[in-house]
Amino acid sequence: MHDSKNSSNLFFSQIFTVHLKTSESIRLDVYLSEILNTSRSQVEALIKKDRVFYDNKLIQKGGLKVEEGGVIGILELEDDIKKQHKEVDFDIEILYEDDDILILNKPPNLIIHDAPSHKEVTLVDWLKSRGFCLSTLSGEERYGIVHRLDKDTSGVIVIAKSNFAHQSLANQLKDRSMGRYYLAIIEGGLKESVCVECHLGRNPKNRLKMSKLDVAKYPNARYAKTLFTPLLDAKIGAGALQLIGAQLFTGRTHQIRAHLESISRHIISDPIYGHCKKLSNIPGRIMLHAFILYLIHPKTKTPLLFKAPIFNDMLEYMQQNFNKDCIDVLLDKDPHTFLSL
């Protein structure tokens, strides 16, 4: 799958056999973007780096037509791995691990993967530093990443250790057999559970935010659904704070934050959607934690559910403003209970 001049530098190779839904051929870049669950521009970047081969030949153009049974290879070179190495001086709690999936409790203030706008150490850097064998379906910058959490958001995240697992988990995200339940502290509170359904898209007046949009006017806006449930009200004298649960039925960017804003509620310490400046002793990061993840194991087909312990910064803020005994009872509940609220 490589030419002789690169053989001594070859570090990693991933091979895909082409399987088409119809008898017609398809562009290589279109096919790869689908099976890698990534954009055609990222596929083009791989091609420009001489990473993509088709039937043992190096590919120069993404428009090449591929046919049933053809073989696509994606390479990574050892020299590039050395250049990408970063010093990783922290650890991440592993909640579960087997040959197919890895479940982590992501700490706050950690970016998932590299982007042009930042160069700090990422969760992907940590994964590489620990030598995990990961899927390659999201490209070389996003090994194993099936879904994301924002930098300041903490909590449970699943990592795919094989391409088979990655594809299965991606399908579960689409058919919603995989889902997440978050805990958030908001100002204002809810009187009862509320389900928010709307189309979300980039705010035309503030590109940092996602907002509820009229799909007739903004056809790129995507349907999103979240169920919000009030869990605990703050102690007397602590202000109008409330601990809520948020169950995601879709996975859009900033979905919880944008949906809360659409009903005039905001998470404490959210610098983009509402900072709640009148409150004192505001924590240094958004009070949002991915608490529960449920999915079907890619290989065994067993339903699995994971609960991620809350980090000290959020836990201490909760204990300052809510009844400690009530918090303990809530967090000790069977995680299935939250999904039936």
Side-chain angles (χ1 to χ4, degrees):
M1 289 298 297
H2 54 89
D3 57 16
S4 59
K5 68 177 181 179
N6 285 332
S7 61
S8 61
N9 294 325
L10 183 61
F11 179 75
F12 184 88
S13 176
Q14 182 60 48
I15 300 173
F16 306 96
T17 300
V18 177
H19 295 293
L20 302 179
K21 298 177 182 178
T22 67
S23 59
E24 297 181 0
S25 60
I26 187 174
R27 287 175 58 107
L28 181 143
D29 55 1
V30 173
Y31 183 80
L32 263 186
S33 68
E34 291 178 355
I35 64 171
L36 295 179
N37 192 28
T38 190
S39 67
R40 285 173 64 179
S41 61
Q42 289 179 316
V43 172
E44 189 64 31
L46 287 174
I47 293 172
K48 289 181 178 179
K49 293 179 180 179
D50 293 340
R51 296 296 194 271
V52 182
F53 289 73
Y54 180 65
D55 284 348
N56 296 318
K57 295 180 181 179
L58 181 65
I59 299 306
Q60 302 292 339
K61 294 182 179 181
L64 176 77
K65 294 297 183 68
V66 298
E67 299 179 347
E68 180 73 22
V71 178
I72 301 173
I74 299 177
L75 309 183
E76 184 172 23
L77 304 184
E78 186 175 12
D79 288 345
D80 288 340
I81 290 294
K82 292 177 180 178
K83 291 176 183 177
Q84 294 170 7
H85 175 73
K86 297 177 182 178
E87 191 67 33
V88 178
D89 60 356
F90 60 90
D91 210 348
I92 298 177
E93 180 183 10
I94 297 175
L95 302 176
Y96 175 86
E97 181 183 5
D98 62 25
D99 291 341
D100 299 286
I101 60 174
L102 178 68
I103 310 296
L104 303 175
N105 190 12
K106 173 193 166 301
N109 305 311
L110 178 64
I111 294 170
I112 298 296
H113 56 72
D114 277 330
S117 60
H118 59 76
K119 296 300 180 184
E120 62 250 57
V121 174
T122 68
L123 184 142
V124 169
D125 292 324
W126 180 85
L127 290 167
K128 290 181 177 180
S129 75
R130 297 304 185 267
F132 289 107
C133 180
L134 305 171
S135 79
T136 59
L137 292 191
S138 288
E140 60 184 286
E141 301 297 336
R142 305 182 184 188
Y143 288 129
I145 302 303
V146 180
H147 65 105
R148 299 189 307 115
L149 293 174
D150 292 333
K151 176 181 177 180
D152 290 342
T153 302
S154 58
V156 62
I157 185 171
V158 58
I159 307 298
K161 296 179 71 177
S162 68
N163 287 341
F164 171 81
H166 193 134
Q167 191 62 63
S168 172
L169 295 171
N171 291 339
Q172 290 181 47
L173 280 176
K174 291 178 181 179
D175 66 22
R176 300 169 193 172
S177 54
M178 171 179 164
R180 288 147 288 167
Y181 188 95
Y182 288 70
L183 296 179
I185 302 174
I186 65 172
E187 184 185 18
L190 303 171
K191 294 182 180 179
E192 59 186 4
S193 296
V194 56
C195 187
V196 179
E197 295 181 77
C198 66
H199 285 79
L200 295 178
R202 192 70 59 182
N203 187 311
K205 296 182 179 179
N206 183 347
R207 304 299 294 175
L208 295 177
K209 300 174 68 173
M210 305 297 287
S211 297
K212 177 181 177 180
L213 297 176
D214 181 353
V215 71
K217 187 176 180 181
Y218 298 94
N220 290 330
R222 304 177 70 187
Y223 171 79
K225 177 181 177 181
T226 311
L227 175 65
F228 296 107
T229 304
L231 298 175
L232 288 178
D233 290 324
K235 295 185 293 187
I236 296 176
L241 300 179
Q242 188 178 69
L243 178 67
I244 66 169
Q247 185 173 358
L248 294 184
F249 295 93
T250 53
R252 311 307 180 206
T253 301
H254 293 182
Q255 179 173 317
I256 292 174
R257 302 156 76 181
H259 271 172
L260 283 172
E261 184 173 62
S262 75
I263 57 173
S264 301
R265 298 292 186 272
H266 301 94
I267 302 175
I268 299 300
S269 287
D270 187 339
I272 297 178
Y273 291 84
H275 201 288
C276 308
K277 293 182 179 178
K278 63 183 179 181
L279 298 174
S280 60
N281 300 319
I282 294 177
R285 61 101 173 182
I286 187 171
M287 293 288 93
L288 180 62
H289 179 75
F291 189 46
I292 295 170
L293 172 73
Y294 57 91
L295 55 87
I296 298 171
H297 193 278
K299 188 170 291 182
T300 67
K301 306 304 179 184
T302 304
L304 298 175
L305 189 149
F306 304 96
K307 182 169 72 172
I310 297 177
F311 287 87
N312 286 337
D313 59 344
M314 185 168 176
L315 184 60
E316 290 174 1
Y317 189 77
M318 289 169 61
Q319 292 172 342
Q320 291 170 8
N321 293 285
F322 299 86
N323 182 281
K324 185 178 183 303
D325 290 337
C326 292
I327 293 171
D328 292 341
V329 170
L330 184 74
L331 298 184
D332 286 340
K333 280 186 177 181
D334 184 325
H336 293 88
T337 303
F338 292 90
L339 304 180
S340 61
L341 291 173

